[in-house]
Amino acid sequence: MAKEIRTIGVMTSGGDAPGMNAAIRAVARACAYYNVKCIGFYRGYQGMIEGDYCVMNARSVRNIISQGGTILKSARSEDFRTPEGRKKAATHLTEAGVDAMVLIGGDGTFRGGQIFSQEYEIPVIGVPGTIDNDIAGTNFTIGYDTALNTVIDAIDKIRDTASSHNRLFFIEVMGRDAGFIALNSGVGAGAEEILIPEEDLGLDRLLESLKRSKRSGKSSSIVVVSEGDKIGKNVYQLADYVTENLPDYDVRVTVLGHMQRGGSPSCFDRTLASRLCVKAVELLLDGEKNVMVGLINNKVATTSFDDGLSGTHEINKELLRISDILST
Ligand code: ATP
């Protein structure tokens, strides 16, 4: 029979994402609702290793639903990749009386959780929190919608200055291995071209498309570039290449960088975080373990870590076609 769950721990790990606070709040409040003690670990796995934690009650999480970042801080922990590090974490969890953990983070966080749960009898549930939206087992990750809106807002502003000066802007957005942010913000902001890691469109096509834009009388052009674009050049090299080959263009580069992680979470991310984390607590209380929760077709669903980590969340390539048609 599964051990009774009296104390649930929660942490945020990997890259921070807007909505992580809403997720922490939902775990703490669901624990209070079900009369379970809640402990928050600071700095992800590193806080578990160091025994750095605080007891959380329903009031500890007041007014955080609207705040960006994470009150529990986030970190990447090299120590947790070692058996010794994980042993220290397990020891501290046992000392603190933690019966189960809710892990909020990206695929790396889930991988760590999967290994930990194979080594120790401490049930864990993963909640997808990352702006990249690159996790199988959910249509949306917490933070992605807010990041998209931040990017759109920035591109709209750049468009104003681009069209005032007839300029071409290359705008780099986050996404080393996944083009979700670039693709969706690119369509949403009416970009002339979108370069993503999943598709190598090639330099010739880029030049052709920009020539076509010029011929059609456009007063500005925006190319959204994912960090991990496969064309083989970084955003500055791309800008240089276009300047050399299309000297009529006045080319500029903007790297949006870490601003994409910040800001108050959107209503969508707050609601998503709330739904997924209440479910995570309820699953643990029902004896479920070693799965991730996600939103699939607007229903909260569970996926094993094995399936979640081996699967890929495919981008919607149809959006490239839509972008092509609409950038005419
Ligand atoms: P993001 O998608 O925002 O980068 P993430 O959760 O994927 O978030 P990672 O840095 O990849 O971020 O992983 C977070 C932490 O999970 C790592 O710092 C490490 O402590 C732990 N982790 C990742 N992979 C493993 C692994 N194979 N074994 C043990 N721990 C791991």
Side-chain angles (χ1 to χ4, degrees):
M1 209 178 102
K3 192 181 161 198
E4 193 191 345
I5 305 289
R6 290 202 210 91
T7 303
I8 291 178
V10 57
M11 56 78 129
T12 49
S13 160
D16 62 306
M20 280 184 162
N21 276 329
I24 295 166
R25 170 184 179 270
V27 173
R29 293 262 165 102
C31 283
Y33 180 85
Y34 287 111
N35 219 5
V36 171
K37 188 174 170 187
C38 181
I39 290 185
F41 285 85
Y42 292 106
R43 294 171 293 121
Y45 289 124
Q46 200 57 34
M48 285 163 58
I49 290 171
E50 294 172 17
D52 187 11
Y53 61 83
C54 61
V55 175
M56 303 181 92
N57 60 36
R59 298 286 76 75
S60 324
V61 290
R62 64 160 67 98
N63 293 339
I64 67 167
I65 194 168
S66 59
Q67 289 172 21
T70 155
I71 59 165
L72 289 177
K73 316 283 181 190
S74 190
R76 301 188 199 272
S77 167
E78 282 312 305
D79 294 342
F80 197 76
R81 293 178 187 274
T82 66
E84 298 75 32
R86 293 194 292 276
K87 187 166 182 211
K88 279 187 196 162
T91 304
H92 279 126
L93 292 192
T94 308
E95 279 171 9
V98 172
D99 301 308
M101 284 293 303
V102 177
L103 311 171
I104 304 165
D107 56 349
T109 300
F110 291 179
R111 197 154 282 118
Q114 183 190 37
I115 293 169
F116 187 69
S117 65
Q118 284 159 0
E119 293 173 341
Y120 299 96
E121 285 290 309
I122 300 174
V124 302
I125 302 274
V127 176
T130 167
I131 64 167
D132 293 334
N133 207 35
D134 58 347
I135 297 184
T138 189
N139 298 142
F140 302 105
T141 57
I142 298 164
Y144 169 62
D145 181 67
T146 307
L148 272 185
N149 285 304
T150 300
V151 170
I152 282 281
D153 194 41
I155 299 179
D156 286 349
K157 290 185 167 111
I158 292 168
R159 176 73 81 177
D160 289 345
T161 172
S163 60
S164 301
H165 290 275
N166 288 346
R167 278 180 178 147
L168 160 62
F169 268 84
F170 282 89
I171 302 176
E172 186 191 89
V173 301
M174 281 187 171
R176 276 212 176 79
D177 305 305
F180 288 97
I181 293 181
L183 189 52
N184 285 275
S185 68
V187 171
E192 276 60 41
E193 272 297 333
I194 303 168
L195 306 180
I196 55 173
E198 291 83 351
E199 198 89 339
D200 182 358
L201 296 176
L203 289 166
D204 291 344
R205 188 201 128 104
L206 176 64
L207 292 184
E208 261 325 300
S209 156
L210 292 173
K211 280 184 202 158
R212 205 178 57 198
S213 273
K214 195 91 177 163
R215 279 198 302 272
S216 72
K218 288 200 175 190
S219 62
S220 66
S221 292
I222 301 279
V223 179
V224 178
V225 186
S226 207
E227 275 172 315
D229 159 57
K230 289 284 177 294
I231 223 163
K233 292 183 186 292
N234 68 35
V235 71
Y236 293 101
Q237 292 166 331
L238 275 175
D240 288 345
Y241 180 83
V242 169
T243 304
E244 276 162 30
N245 288 279
L246 300 176
D248 287 351
Y249 266 113
D250 185 9
V251 183
R252 295 287 190 276
V253 172
T254 299
V255 175
L256 295 186
H258 284 82
M259 67 175 290
Q260 293 164 88
R261 291 192 182 279
S264 178
S266 66
C267 180
F268 182 88
D269 278 331
R270 297 180 200 191
T271 310
L272 178 65
S274 303
R275 290 178 73 183
L276 297 188
C277 286
V278 167
K279 185 69 177 179
V281 169
E282 290 175 341
L283 286 168
L284 287 171
L285 296 179
D286 286 345
E288 186 66 84
K289 58 183 178 180
N290 312 340
V291 297
M292 61 166 284
V293 287
L295 196 70
I296 298 176
N297 298 331
N298 203 25
K299 291 216 163 50
V300 178
T302 57
T303 304
S304 70
F305 278 138
D306 286 347
D307 289 348
L309 289 169
S310 61
T312 45
H313 186 183
E314 299 287 339
I315 56 152
N316 181 0
K317 290 196 180 164
E318 167 71 357
L319 284 178
L320 283 174
R321 195 180 74 82
I322 300 292
S323 166
D324 259 0
I325 292 172
L326 298 181
S327 61
T328 303

